[in-house]
Amino acid sequence: MAHALALNAVCGAPFRGGDVVLTTTRTHTMNHASAAGNSSALLLHASGARLLASDLSAGAERLFSPREARAALVRVCASNDGNAVLAVDADGLALLMTPDHAKHGAAGNLGGAVHAACFSPRRNDEFATCVGRLVKVWRVFQRERFYLRMTFGQCTARATHVSYSPDGKYLVVCSEDLAVRVLKLVDDNEPAAKARRRAEGDDSEGNDEDGNDADADGESKIEPVILHGHRATPVGAWFGRQGGIYSIGQDGVVIGWRPMEVPTAKEMQAHKKKRRLPLWAGADGLAYGAAWKYFAGLPGPGGRDVTAAAFANAEAPLLVVGLRNGAFRVFQMPLFYNGAADAVAKQAAIEGQSAMPVELHTLSAAPGAPLDSICFGGPSAAAADDGKANYPWIAIGCKTLGQVVVWDWRRETYVMRQRGHSYQVNRCAVSPSGETFATASDDGTVKLWHANSCHAIATYSGHAAPVADVCFMQAGGVVASASRDGTVRLHDVTRHRCFRVLTSPEAAPLTCLRGDAAGDVIAAGSGGGSFLIYVWAVRTGKLLDSLSGHTAPIVGVRFAPHGHPYLASTSWDKSLRLWDVFGTAVNESFAHLHDATALDYKPDGKEIAVATLDGAVTFWDPEAGQARGTIDGKRHVGMRRTAADGQGLPEGGHFQCVAYSANGETLYAAGLGPYLCIYDSVRRVLLRRVEMTAAKRLWNAIADRVDTRNITEAGARSMLDVAPSDALGALGARPGRGGSAAPSASIAPRHSAAAVGGSPEAVLDLPGMRAGGSLVYSIRDVQPSSDGTRLVAASTEGVLVLAKDTGVAFDPVDLGGAGAWATPAAVARRAAEGEFLTGLVAALRLGETALAERVMLAVPAAEVESVVRDVPDALVVPLLEVLAACVGKASGNASGKDGDSRPPLERTLTWVRALVAAKAPAISARGGACAPPLRAVLGELAALQRDIGEACVRNRDLLRFCCSTALDL
């Protein structure tokens, strides 16, 4: 069905801050359709309140999870194996996500804004966070909720970074008091029933979650080791080999802290007299001495300011430092050895190790712009089981440029480089083939995107003002864009260059654009001057006509489909006009009661839908000149009363865009609000309303309900520009406990810096701003693909790509309680009984490759095509992988166990041919994931053809002799 769509990806939005994480998952690929055991390198980063995942192996970008936070995500961390991802928003709401259960996971409030987060290297259900000056260690209870294990409150200022030791028993914490602290975690020794009781909220014993003594505030009394030596705020600290610690400050100074035996008082005094570097001792037999100091910055402006840093691990001691001038540096850190200084130096010389950090790589990734987030990773980071993996990739996030890049510092090449639009995306267009789509933005650029991977293919610049509209012409070979600078630029999609610029006769901004079906004529409407419609010839660039009649800015033009020689246009002058462009150029006008905001032609040319400012959509018959029906969508748009509206009536809304589906049976409409409305264009009824975002704290004017307790006599409390200490009780605020006014700053207002990412600059950079700084969510354009499997929407948070929801598709395994019998033994029994389709689907879902192969070979040759035709599209990738293995065994090139029988080659090739013929669209839609098994099949077939050819050549003389000699039998 056309309305069975689900949000699949978000692209086109700039990087607005937060953490970037490189991880490797070993269980499932991003589309969850490959067999178990496969691995893929993922780049995780935030886009507003959503978590995006770029599959660097398949070259595709998708939503990691359909779950959405209430505010902008600022902290993202992943476990060592990549099977658990924690995303935290600016309000401290944490979401735990997993690749195999991305729609489910624990969620909870961590007690305030989180400044740093880190998973335990030994457990996927434990992580540590920095909240204010507190360091909190959390556990996940049955993937449903978080419970607090320990709290450390020894920091005297805000904690900025936390990381675990390799054995997971210690924490090293940086804070703004210029100190680095080593905290000890006590092993769990309490029974499971006690932990479960505490997870349910029963903390009546007065101890922390490990049974240790705690003070009245619930903070642990374990004394930390405090390391002083930095003169600027430490940016990060990490454990090295044999308990050593590396720390780096904002001034670029790196200090190596060597573990030592706890010295006596005399030894401490002698150390202070002989050495300048400090020595620090703490409780529990821990002592550290500063072994060396090193400056990791660069000379020049911004080269001494460290904005981000990351460490690989103890066995691969690599440190990457991001600077304010946009450069980053990679260092090989020296290893730590036990013993005296002279013995340590000798041992390092024997192993060929340097006693100081060694620079390996330096590059300017964003000249003049600070690097906000940086991390190590790569396909080999989690592939090695001995812990000695290398980390060839570096992921860098730069908020100033709005881009995320992945750099291979060993090969010195880009793995991925993506940069979205800097400002609001105005319009979008889908190519006739559906393989690409284009977007137009206020930043004056047009971007071409690959529909499957959601990666940018090309960026077309040249306009001197915001681009108002974009469209495809000549079967998708040309992208045309209209700008407010009064020009239309035509771009060659193959060569990625502008080959013609069309200029309007008068200096008027162009607001809308469309080309005819043949691609020979293009029309653009103006939003100023005489409000004319200009018509050009594409081949010659000559202005053919200037159509006059509108008296207000033109908001939309559409050419009629094949066989109808009309051009429809609508304007703020409350009229719809039809022009005979190819004939007498006369026009016919249809009047509305309100200003028109958008229009679209039905694919059969027999109907025009026009949206007006009163929230209605009117359907016109262009031949008869009569209105055939109206949809009142004022209540469907999604505009709701805001906090500023108080107890008033909800606001009325209107649609900013309308678009017909390819078959004309469905109409898509959206406007100022988070909802996409899907209507039946024949019966004029609402089929579905899709909510594009649920981030109430990030976007304004989308609240379905308003808390009247926050309404004062002076207006909404969140809209008042007053300090929390002001007397809000006089303004109507409810008194809190003890008779005092309840503080209004406990929850940051929607337009505050905390709600968007932490800094005022982040608020000012976001598109869709209203006066006063509040964010307004809107959908400015909606364009469906020609096959109905994809829909692209231009919104405030970027370009939303909605794909066909496979979750509502028919699956034969779901019939009859499949979960009760979906075991290998039951699947084999079902296949033996002749239920081949059900058995094959269940085997693929279970990831049983050998079982799926047996079921495939048991299917009669006459039924292969019918079975393949009914296999769900989501299982195309694992089916291809099984076929690749079968082809390899059939040709004798695949390695297998002794005694394994080769599958019949003819039967295997029959499956390959049937799959390619029946599932060609599904394979094309999953090009990145299907490419490896397809290449494997082609390789095996090429090797088989080569072997047959060599056998024929070897036996050519024998065949000639047998054919020319008459044998007496």
Side-chain angles (χ1 to χ4, degrees), residues 32 64-65 67 82-85 96-105 143:
H32 309 284
F64 184 79
S65 171
R67 302 171 69 189
N83 289 331
V85 175
L96 184 69
M97 310 174 189
T98 56
D100 51 348
H101 298 89
K103 294 183 179 180
H104 310 283
R143 289 190 176 184

Side-chain angles (χ1 to χ4, degrees), residues 96-448:
L96 184 69
M97 310 174 189
T98 56
D100 51 348
H101 298 89
K103 294 183 179 180
H104 310 283
N109 197 314
L110 301 184
V114 176
H115 307 294
C118 177
F119 266 98
S120 170
R122 298 298 182 182
R123 303 178 61 106
N124 286 352
D125 61 346
E126 179 180 308
F127 59 92
T129 60
C130 296
V131 180
R133 69 174 188 87
L134 301 179
V135 178
K136 298 183 178 182
V137 181
W138 300 83
R139 284 279 178 87
V140 183
F141 180 70
Q142 295 182 354
R143 289 190 176 184
E144 293 181 357
R145 57 177 298 182
F146 305 124
Y147 70 91
L148 187 61
R149 180 190 173 196
M150 296 186 70
T151 301
F152 298 92
Q154 289 81 359
C155 296
T156 60
R158 186 178 68 172
T160 58
H161 183 268
V162 62
S163 63
Y164 276 85
S165 62
D167 58 5
K169 297 181 179 180
Y170 295 90
L171 294 175
V172 57
V173 181
C174 302
S175 60
E176 292 182 347
D177 56 6
L178 310 185
V180 177
R181 290 174 173 83
V182 181
L183 309 175
K184 183 179 179 181
L185 301 176
V186 180
D187 295 334
D188 292 331
N189 53 8
E190 55 187 358
K194 189 176 181 180
R196 187 181 303 108
R197 185 172 62 253
R198 290 203 173 115
E200 294 174 355
D202 184 8
D203 291 329
S204 58
E205 298 183 8
N207 300 331
D208 61 14
E209 262 48 280
D210 280 309
N212 303 306
D213 292 336
D215 57 14
D217 296 331
E219 299 178 1
S220 175
K221 293 183 178 180
I222 299 178
E223 292 296 329
V225 179
I226 305 177
L227 309 178
H228 290 287
H230 286 286
R231 297 185 178 181
T233 301
V235 176
W238 305 269
F239 282 95
R241 199 173 75 170
Q242 295 185 355
I245 295 176
Y246 309 102
S247 62
I248 182 172
Q250 290 181 351
D251 56 358
V253 175
V254 183
I255 302 180
W257 304 92
R258 182 167 58 92
M260 304 176 61
E261 296 181 358
V262 178
T264 63
K266 293 183 178 180
E267 292 175 344
M268 288 283 292
Q269 188 68 22
H271 177 83
K272 293 180 180 179
K273 292 181 179 180
K274 293 181 180 180
R275 296 175 179 268
R276 294 183 179 179
L277 296 178
L279 176 68
W280 301 100
D284 199 43
L286 293 178
Y288 287 90
W292 44 261
K293 286 188 177 182
Y294 183 83
F295 178 66
L298 291 172
R304 295 179 177 270
D305 300 331
V306 176
T307 57
F311 187 70
N313 65 8
E315 298 298 331
L318 297 175
L319 176 68
V320 59
V321 179
L323 305 176
R324 186 171 297 278
N325 61 3
F328 69 91
R329 310 184 75 189
V330 181
F331 297 93
Q332 176 75 40
M333 306 303 290
L335 300 179
F336 292 103
Y337 302 92
N338 292 327
D342 296 338
V344 168
K346 291 180 180 180
Q347 182 66 22
I350 293 174
E351 297 188 7
Q353 299 288 339
S354 174
M356 299 293 287
V358 178
E359 179 187 353
L360 300 179
H361 187 75
T362 299
L363 182 71
S364 180
L371 305 183
D372 299 284
S373 182
I374 196 167
C375 71
F376 271 111
S380 59
D385 296 329
D386 56 358
K388 296 182 180 180
N390 57 2
Y391 290 77
W393 293 354
I394 297 175
I396 303 169
C398 179
K399 182 173 62 176
T400 303
L401 300 181
Q403 69 177 2
V404 177
V405 300
V406 179
W407 174 259
D408 190 332
W409 66 273
R410 296 184 185 272
R411 299 181 180 180
E412 297 187 357
T413 183
Y414 283 105
V415 178
M416 188 198 77
R417 187 177 186 181
Q418 286 295 309
R419 182 176 180 179
H421 289 292
S422 302
Y423 298 100
Q424 172 78 49
V425 179
N426 292 320
R427 299 293 176 186
C428 57
V430 182
S431 65
S433 63
E435 297 180 355
T436 58
F437 62 89
T439 56
S441 172
D442 280 345
D443 60 5
T445 63
V446 175
K447 286 183 177 291
L448 187 66

Side-chain angles (χ1 to χ4, degrees), residues 823-893:
T823 62
V827 170
R829 185 170 59 254
R830 288 291 183 108
E833 295 174 358
E835 298 183 15
F836 303 113
L837 175 61
T838 307
L840 178 60
V841 171
L844 293 175
R845 280 192 166 186
L846 292 174
E848 297 287 341
T849 304
L851 180 60
E853 180 181 336
R854 292 199 301 270
V855 175
M856 288 170 48
L857 298 179
V859 179
E863 300 182 13
V864 171
E865 293 185 3
S866 61
V867 172
V868 171
R869 192 183 308 114
D870 294 333
V871 171
D873 292 345
L875 299 177
V876 167
V877 177
L879 183 57
L880 269 174
E881 293 174 350
V882 174
L883 282 177
C886 288
V887 173
K889 293 179 181 179
S891 60
N893 297 323

